[in-house]
Structures are given as C-alpha cells and as structure tokens.
Amino acid sequence: MIDYKKEIAKIIGSIVKIDDKEIKKMVEKPANNEMGDFSFPCFKLAKELKKSPMIIAQEICEKMKLDAEVFENIEIVNGYINFFVNKERIIKEVLEEVSNKKEEYGKSTLGAGQNIIVEYSSPNIAKPFHIGHLRNTVIGSSLYNMYKYLGYNTIGINHLGDYGTQFGKMIEGYKRWGQEYNIDENPIEELTKIYVRINDLCKKDEDVLKACRDNFKKLEDGDPYCTEIWNKFREVSLNEFNRIYELLGVKFDSLNGEAFYSDKMPEVEELLRNSGRLIKSEGAEIIDLEEEKMGVCMIKKSNGSTTYATRDLAAILYRARTYDFDKCLYVVAYEQNLHFKQIFEVAKLLGIDEKYIKGLQHIPYGMVHLKSGKMSTREGNVIKVEDLLKESISRVKQIIKEKNPDMENLEENARKIGIGAVIFNNVATTIIKDQIFDWDTILNFNGETGPYIQYTYVRTNSVLNNSNGVKDVKKIDFSVLTDKESLEVIKKIYEFNNVIENSVDKNEPSLLARYLLELAKNYSTFYNNNKILVEDEKTKDARVFLTYSVGIVLKIGMKLLGIEMPDKM
Ligand code: ARG
C-alpha cells in the first residue's frame, strides 16, 4: 500500500537535501482534516536553512513536481505545507490491500530480528488476584499481541510472586492453624485469612516474626517441610489464576517467577561484590544509591535471605543471556516506580552489555477504583476478579434477554461481550491514569465501550449477510464512493498499521482502543447517511466492500486488545 509520508519525504528530500527518513518523521497529521491529510511543518527546517518557514514553504512548493495521482492538491498555511491525497487512489489502495491481506491487514515485519520481553500479570501466589492485576494482565497481553503483529520476536513472561518473606509467614500460619481452614475448597480465600491472622500475631509477638523469617530462610535452603507446604500454596494458587487467564484468553510463554531464580542469586551477589559497591549495613548487604537519589537497595537481609530486588536482578541477568532481549518491559503498578529505578541502576553493576540496560523499561499503570466505594486489599476485603468476570457475563445475558430473547449462542456471545467489556475498559484509558470501574459505563452498548465496537462489527456482518456477498475487489468500481463519510472511513482504515506502531512505540494500547472507537463511529455515520443495499449494483458492491473492510479491521484490532467478536448482539 502506498506510504504517503514516504512519498512526501521523497518529494521534499529531493529539494532540500535532508535524509528522507528524517523528513518522514517530521510529517504530521493535521488536527483538522479540512487542513489536508498530511502536513509538513517547515519551521523544523528554519534553523538549518536559515530562512523563515514561510519562505521555505514557498521555495519548496515552487520546485515541487506533484504526481496528481498521489496528491491532488497542496496548500501553504503559516509555514506548513498541507497535502491532500487523491481520493480515488486512496480508496483503491486501501480496499485492495484489505482484499489481499484479509485478516492479516496491518501486519508487518517491522520488528523482525528484535527480541522483546513483555512481563505482565505477575500476581503473588496465595493472595487474591485483584482488580489491579487484572488491569496489568490485559494491558501486558495486548502489548504482547501488538508487538507480535509487527513482527517482533515477543516473549511473554508471568513473573509470579512465589517467593519472599511473606511465604515464611504463610508457612508459619499454616503450621499453626492449617487444620482449621478449608484450603482445598477455597484456597486463596482461606490462605488469605491465615495470612491476615499471622500478620496480627507477628505484630504482637517478636518471636513469631522471627520464626517466620527463619521459615523463609529454611525454604531457600531447601528444607523439605517448608518446600512441601510452599509447593502446595503454589499449586492451588495457580489453579485459581489459570481459571482467570482462561476466561480472559491470556497466555504466557514463561511462568518463571521469583522462585525460579533461587539458585541464581549467588552469582548476582558475587558480581555486585566485585563491583565494590555492595556494603554491609546493620548486618544486611545493600547498595547505597543515595547519590543517585534513589535510596538504598537491599540485596541481602541480615539473616541471609535474599530480597525481591535481588531476584529481579537475577532475572535481568538470566533474561539477557536466555533471550538476548532488545527490550524488557515491565508492566507493573506505579507504586513500584522506585523499585524499578533501583534495580535498573544496580543492573549496571552486573557487567552486562549496555544494550540490555538501555532495553529495561518500567511501564507503570494507574490504579482501579470502584465507583461504589473504596476497596481495600489489606483485610481480605477485595473483589475477586473471577467473580467480577462472571458477573459481567451474567449482566450481559440479562441485557441480551431483554433485547433479543431468542438469540442463538447466547452463552458464547454473552461470554465474549461480558469479558470484552471488562478488557476494553481496562485498555481504553491512558494506562498511567487511575481508573473508575462502573458497570453502567462499561456495559453501555452505545457508549465508548467494547460492546459498542462489537455491536458495530455485528452490524457490518448483518449487512454482509443481507447482501449477495462481497464481490471480487477487481470487479468493483470504487469511483462511486463519492460521499464524504466513506472517505472518512477509508482514511481511518488506512491509518491502522500506523496506529499499532504508535501504540507499541508508546506502549499505550489505549491508542488502538481509541482508534477502534473512532472507526466504529465513522462507520456508523456512513451507515446512517448512506443506504448500502441500494438498487444500483455498482454502488451497492462498493458500499458492501467498504462494510466488509470495516468489519475486518474492527475484528483484528479487538483481537490485538485480547477481545473476541460475538456473532450476534
Ligand atoms: N508480584 C509483584 C506484585 O504483585 C509484581 C511483580 C512485578 N515484576 C517484577 N519483576 N518485580 O506486586
């Protein structure tokens, strides 16, 4: 498909002798489409050429040879050169591309040869999987999908929180009161109760706290009893998490969590010791990062136990060697900003290639609040994600039963809509922003929601079902698509690949989510203003093809976000 930015770069590059790639980066999309489809801001060249933007624009335009098949017009406005694409050409380009690529439209090999690790979800075992983990899971998973679609070699890792002093506590609590709780039936809830109880006891009794710490040390040293209990915690927790992952359709390439690194920490210590920066402080071993204004990074506790940070450092070393990563992205809540600053800083002392240090990136996301009030993770008073997903499905069923009582595939469709609504809500806001969770908003079929996009998709399908099918693109006369609504739709579809590129560039799936909303809205406007199944065959065929293309792009885009499309709504 024609790359308009590249075309502009070629034209301007032949006049101003600046590398085409540089020019391409400068090309913008005007905020308002009356101003053109693309625009080149000449003030970016003003310094280099020592002329005013207006004069540069004029000079470029005088020398420019325009191919009217590509751009039908240009205008100079305030030092911008605005380009208007040839309408017939873009329509033909886009629709032929959709016809060729079908469900692979927008896919590319941009990232070929690059290894990208996306770490996401990473819940702590034996603790409830809460709504924050849900957000991180779906954000990470959509980034994973998008990187893959652009040809990156992508590795999805669930860095399970399955190690650490809290397990010393859990083991102690289990040892004392395990019999009183029905762990097999309701593992995480019951283990949480034990955890809350042992924490209370630790606050009152120093000796118990010490016993807990020793338990974790024993676990690290391979004590059979502690290992057995820990294994049980891990197993029952994973069973529960897996049910959630299954509902969400989320997958990982690796479940190497913190415990995986238990035998890989001596090397980290050794490397840090050799760096000369590891110092003793009150019996513990630390790296002092005060000079970098990052506090102190604890590497080893006074009783010899390893820490969360050490395990992360071991993971960096392991991932560099195993995956030779170009980027290693951590989708983790912003509360851990300091932690990641610290470990990225300390990683510089591990003696690994610069490239790995540069590739480390924390992607912080905001919290989720419930509209109905505050939620506290502490005292076990949390919404269980599994319940939330099931509630979403059952609310959708209720809505459908009112609208469309005899729908076939009710179960299947309600699942796709209910889960899709929750996922979409989580990826549609800028990820750093805190977010409000409210049923009425997320399930609104006409709002800025997943169901709205699904609804639009279902509508495109019913148009296709009522027509005599989609004609071969070569037999379609696209010159009949003269209305401005179809042109808007086509231009949106043209942007698709670029939107995915921007989304991974900024690690921001919300860009794709917003795009899909806009495409759905553009299509609705087209649909409301133009009859599709008209008498005139030519017009009908072209409009049906346009409809088909919208459906494909909505479907691919939603799949990248991790959302399936229902067949009816
Ligand atoms: N398990 C941690 C938590 O739930 C998140 C782990 C984040 N990843 C990491 N490499 N530290 O808070």
Side-chain angles (χ1 to χ4, degrees), residues 367-382:
M367 310 237 288
V368 187
H369 306 282
L370 300 178
K371 197 181 177 194
S372 48
K374 260 187 116 179
M375 149 180 88
S376 138
T377 343
R378 263 294 136 86
E379 314 301 324
N381 157 32
V382 274

Side-chain angles (χ1 to χ4, degrees), residues 70-83:
V70 181
F71 295 109
E72 57 187 31
N73 194 16
I74 51 166
E75 271 172 11
I76 302 177
V77 182
N78 300 332
Y80 283 87
I81 307 176
N82 295 335
F83 292 78

Side-chain angles (χ1 to χ4, degrees), residues 222-239:
D223 172 80
Y225 177 73
C226 289
T227 310
E228 188 193 317
I229 304 179
W230 173 81
N231 264 324
K232 186 178 164 94
F233 293 162
R234 195 172 190 276
E235 195 187 305
V236 294
S237 308
L238 272 179
N239 280 342

Side-chain angles (χ1 to χ4, degrees), residues 119 122-124 133 159 161 258 308 312 330 332 336 339-340:
E119 194 208 281
S122 312
N124 295 328
H133 286 122
H159 187 78
E258 294 186 40
Y308 179 51
D312 258 326
Y330 297 82
V332 182
Q336 297 199 28
H339 167 76
F340 284 102

